[in-house]
Amino acid sequence: MSETHEGVHRHPAPTGFIRKYIFSIDHKVIGIQYIILALVAVLVGMVMSLLMRMNLSWPGTSWPILGTLFPTGAPGGQMTPEFYLSLVTMHGTIMVFFVLTTAPQGGFGNYFLPIQIGAEDMAFPVLNMLSFWVTLVGFIVILLAIFVEGNQGLGEWFAGLGPSFAGGSGTVGPIGGWTGYAPLSALGKIAGPGQGAGMNLWVISIAIFCVGSLLGALNFITTLLNMRTKGMSLMRMPLTCWAWFTTAVLALLSFPVLLGGGILLLLDRIANTSFFIPGGLYVTGLLSGTNPNFPLHTGGSPILWQHLFWFFGHPEVYIAILPGMGATSHILATFARKPVFGYRAMVFAIFAIGLLGFFVWGHHMFMSGMSPYSAIAFSVLTLSIGVPSAVKTFNWLGTLWGGRIRFTSAMLFALGFVSLFVAGGITGLILGQSSLDLPMHDTYLVTAHFHLVMGVASIFGMFAALYFWFPKMFGRFMSESLGRIHFWLTFIGVYAIFVPMHIMGIVGMPRRFSSFTEYEYLRTLDPLVMLVTVAAIITIGAQLLFYFNVVWSVFKGKRVENDNPWEATTLEWNTATPPPHDNFAGVLPVVYHGPYEFAVPGAPRDYVMQTDMEAEVPSGNGHNGHKH
Amino acid sequence: MGRVLAVIIWILTLLSVLLFFSGWWFPAAISEHAPALDRQFLITIIVVGLSFAAAQIGLGWMVWKYRDTGQAGDRALYSHGSNRLEVLWTVITAIVFITLGVMGQSVWASLRLYDAPAGSYQVSVVAQQFQWNFHYPGKDGKFGRTEPTLIDDSALNFVGLDAADAASADDSVTAALAIPVNRPVELRLRSKDVIHNFWVPQLRFKQDLVPGMEIKVHFTANRVGKYELACAELCGQLHFKMKSYMLVLPEDELQQLQALPQADFQNKMTELLAKYPLPTN
Amino acid sequence: MATMVTSTRPSTKKGPGAGPGMPGPNGNGSKRKDAFREPDSRGNRYRIGMWVALASIAMMFTSLSSAYIVRSGTANDWVPLAMPRILLASTALILLSSVTLEFARRKLKSSLHGEYAKYLLLTALLGVGFLISQVIAWRQLAAQGIFVSSHPHSSFFYLLTGAHAVHLLGGLLALMFLLLRSRRKTLEPALAAKRQATADAVTIYWHFMDGLWIYLFLLLFLWR
Ligand code: HEA
Ligand code: HEA
Ligand code: CUA
Ligand SMILES: [Cu+2]
């Protein structure tokens, strides 16, 4: 270790299981807790998607187990339309919030941001712990939402909480899509099944989640601004840190808006205010104000909810992808044994994406009845956001160019990320054009678009990150051979699932349909629907390999024998494995180099770690005659 | 490994592209703005298709060519990038994407920035969970007064038509939409409860129906026939079967229909629905 | 660990090698002179953190007020609310509390711990006074039969004042915390600096809540 300063670390390592592993304030433990949360959540989400596909491909078939699990949602094991819709809603919500907004940022970010900038912990460890536990509560609440309706068991208990909590006519959860458009989501149970207790819990869960992520974001930003170690200037930070930082800024500015909207929505539901509910509604035979079950509402604006939601919603999708982009850049450079191509351009691109991300939310609302003029503005801005994304793509290719690529599982998934991000991203250029959104809005083309880019590209980013950092986190490798099989199956699988969905969209298959049997013009698509389902079943099955690999490797995986198994350059690789409680055993590292110094001519090894000193100091690299 | 990955990427790319030539495509268009829209779609899909292919082929090429051959001492090229290239591809993509974006506005503008031309055929659409109501002004071309308070589904007064109003005497309300061919149509879209979406694939046309708002849209259908009309915004339990039909009729046939009083109007409509087959493609 | 000495010559390759303006030899990243400045003082994190937190709080109230503006602009059902006079008292109280808290902070700077505690206490009392007068305002409205669901303006009134009150309550807790801490008079520099930093952070927060209240007050009763 080159030099020491500020040796003392503030909080001594806790002893005792609870403080060490449960209510820990160690960012590393919290990171792992987030990852476990994501692993559980994604399992739930996947099973739901499996049921959805089963229902779409074999409508009306009865699956006995379901009958016993969800007597109201799937009587006799036959999935009802409302059961399907609540699956869609929960699938989307869980995947977006509890998978893609937890592990990439709260998980890997939490674990590695402080280490990569050479800090001994997060700026506010206690807030950090809180942010996890709040998020966990949010997750538990959303799971409850599945079981509260149908006026039996839990549902009965909730009905006790008051009229707006009384169950609908029997479903398994909220029905509103993950976007919860008002007034459907605001009217309460007169609007049909899935609008009772479940929907309340959905809103509450989202609100709780917002608070959790805000605490996290606060911590990330402060830590990065305040706690970089000596020599870790901004332009020497790994791209992962830039990504996590930008993500945190996006979260910090967008989640409060959703929180505000959520509060308004909740008030509309339980305090019968009229923020989103217009006057003169006539719902299921009742006119607003003429019946105790349907109190008077006036003058609310349904589109207002969409604006609030999407002002959050679009930045949210970049919150979901940026950490993946960071990890990909990091891993591509490491295993191509080559500096990142156009480091600065990458940093600017991340920023441009983050900034533009706040001005394009209207592209989700072209058909909402919003002003057609603003639609045009949103549309053009939306296409310009493709530019920084393309720049990143080019730079990834540039990083590979001339490299000496080592195909570890992590690298495979990083390469998969690039492939899938392009595949999903470019369809954004179709949806972004207001004209083309006329036929394409709310069809499966949208579903295809966001699954490729979010549903799997971001997820691939997480896979890559886990295979890459697992050795540092647990001192053991994940099985490479299992990893490879997992990659091949998943990579091919997701192409097979989501590419055909584009065709469905072009033919005009609408989203959120629990069955396509009603429409003649969709008949021709039956073979594709089946193909997608089969591919989905295989792909989801393949994930069991992954889960097995994780669990098995934690205990039985091949031990890492040195602290830098990948021959990487950043700080996490020159501390112990796994890192000590204060990350650097009381001796903070000093940084002399940029983050990706591979294949440096004349250097004895093909990588120069950020902490390596040099005898001969080339001019103008800011050393200021630093003494060692 | 490198070679395998490259080949797999290329195969997946090839299959993905082939799928777009597999015959599944838009149903044949029946509206005046559709050809322009389809052309724009084609241009876009070609541009993005090419960049998709280019990116994937490039990616495959990189992993094929630059895989680690494992000879000792052999190192990657030491480069931090090139500003010239950065500028180059930033400018190029900017030009391509923004041009696409601007081109992508023309059809939209023609449909949404201008009001319906004078003399266009008027229908008022009132959506509700989970059915469509189409309100026709009748001979006098005037819509009768409607009131939320008068709505009464049980009495089949779905749109809250005020019988007292003179203008409403010759109005009719049916569950299917009949419009003239080759003549601009203006729809006044309203919803009684939640957000729905008016969507006829052959029209290449979509618009939300938002409670509390009356949204006016217009288009011109140019092919006689019967077409399926779907709801494309999640509106609750039976969203998937909130279905109706759009009949595009020759002017004279439509005039006859118009002339009929409510009851016969309904029967005639059912007749016509039976008469016209669904399009085969 | 990696302490190996690597001799690395400047590479002067141009073009796709190392284009102009790219990080210099062996990519030291930024060439800024302060690349090696000592890390920011740890105390600063409380101030930074506070500003960051305020940014997000500001965003939430922005979303609520944009809702207010849209809703009041589009609606035909707007019944303006008569301003409860007591709110003027609230305003006075909270303004005053900001002043006293500022005094407290100054006293701490010149390490007059006794004075500091006194002013803290005073501030806290004023804060409590503010909350009480808010509650009175609500009860007055309720007495007139105006509740959250009565009409949009009342909905927003209860919502915004309520949200602000909750945040101010947080501020009060922070003041309590400072009071408890202020009991210890003599402390070594490190702790003193930390105390100053926390006090600063809380002050920033409190001033923000003060300004926020003025803003909400104007929005609610002057905008429409
Ligand atoms: C990770 C999440 C994520 C990301 C990154 C994106 C990225 C983009 N999205 Fe997507 N989007 C979603 C998640 C995401 N989206 C979700 C979840 C929805 C649905 C919400 C719902 O309704 O449920 C959605 C919906 C959605 C819509 C609304 C569709 C509709 O409902 O009608 C639109 C419309 O403009 C859109 C546009 C875009 C654009 C332009 C980008 C751009 O950022 C894409 C930029 C990327 C590229 C342009 C590719 C770059 C590479 C190249 C161009 C290759 C060039 C190389 C060579 C030529 C060699 N998205
Ligand atoms: C992260 C986001 C995500 C992910 C991963 C998925 C995964 C999948 N989705 Fe999902 N989906 C959404 C987000 C996502 N989806 C959203 C937002 C909607 C819209 C909801 C709405 O309309 O409101 C939606 C809707 C949606 C629909 C449309 C329903 C409808 O409109 O009627 C369908 C239909 O088939 C579908 C299918 C699938 C399938 C088969 C999978 C998968 O099962 C494919 C296989 C799964 C994987 C490859 C992931 C494995 C990941 C891990 C094991 C995590 C690893 C974790 C760490 C490394 C920490 N999804
Ligand atoms: Cu009406 Cu969906
Ligand atoms: Cu978006």
Side-chain angles (χ1 to χ4, degrees), chain A residues 475-535:
Chain A
R476 295 175 178 274
F477 289 95
M478 286 178 75
S479 153
E480 278 292 315
S481 36
L482 271 183
R484 295 218 174 93
I485 303 171
H486 172 225
F487 169 78
W488 295 122
L489 289 173
T490 312
F491 187 59
I492 297 171
V494 292
Y495 261 97
I497 300 174
F498 296 118
V499 170
M501 285 188 181
H502 293 87
I503 302 297
M504 301 180 188
I506 292 176
V507 173
M509 179 179 277
R511 297 169 63 178
R512 297 167 175 172
F513 265 33
S514 49
S515 148
F516 303 118
T517 51
E518 298 291 317
Y519 290 85
E520 283 309 316
Y521 78 96
L522 294 178
R523 277 332 182 100
T524 61
L525 288 172
D526 291 349
L528 278 186
V529 174
M530 187 56 72
L531 167 68
V532 168
T533 304
V534 173

Side-chain angles (χ1 to χ4, degrees), chain A residues 82 282 342 367 379 395 402 404-405 419 433-435 438-439 441-442 512 518 520-521 597 600 603, chain B residues 1 40 56 66 68 74-75 77-78 80 86 104-105 153 192 206-208 228 232 237 239-240 243:
Chain A
E82 57 271 31
Y282 185 91
M367 302 306 142
S379 182
N395 280 310
R404 293 292 176 273
I405 303 173
S419 170
Q433 299 176 39
S434 49
S435 306
L438 282 163
H441 174 65
D442 267 347
R512 297 167 175 172
E518 298 291 317
E520 283 309 316
Y521 78 96
E597 286 311 296
V600 180
Chain B
M1 187 63 66
Q40 173 63 14
Q56 305 290 359
Y66 298 111
D68 186 4
D74 159 40
R75 282 187 188 181
L77 170 125
Y78 182 70
H80 288 94
E86 299 291 347
Q105 305 312 314
D153 290 4
K192 281 158 69 173
K206 228 193 233 90
Q207 174 59 51
D208 279 0
E228 285 171 308
Q237 182 187 25
H239 166 55
F240 74 105
K243 173 186 179 178

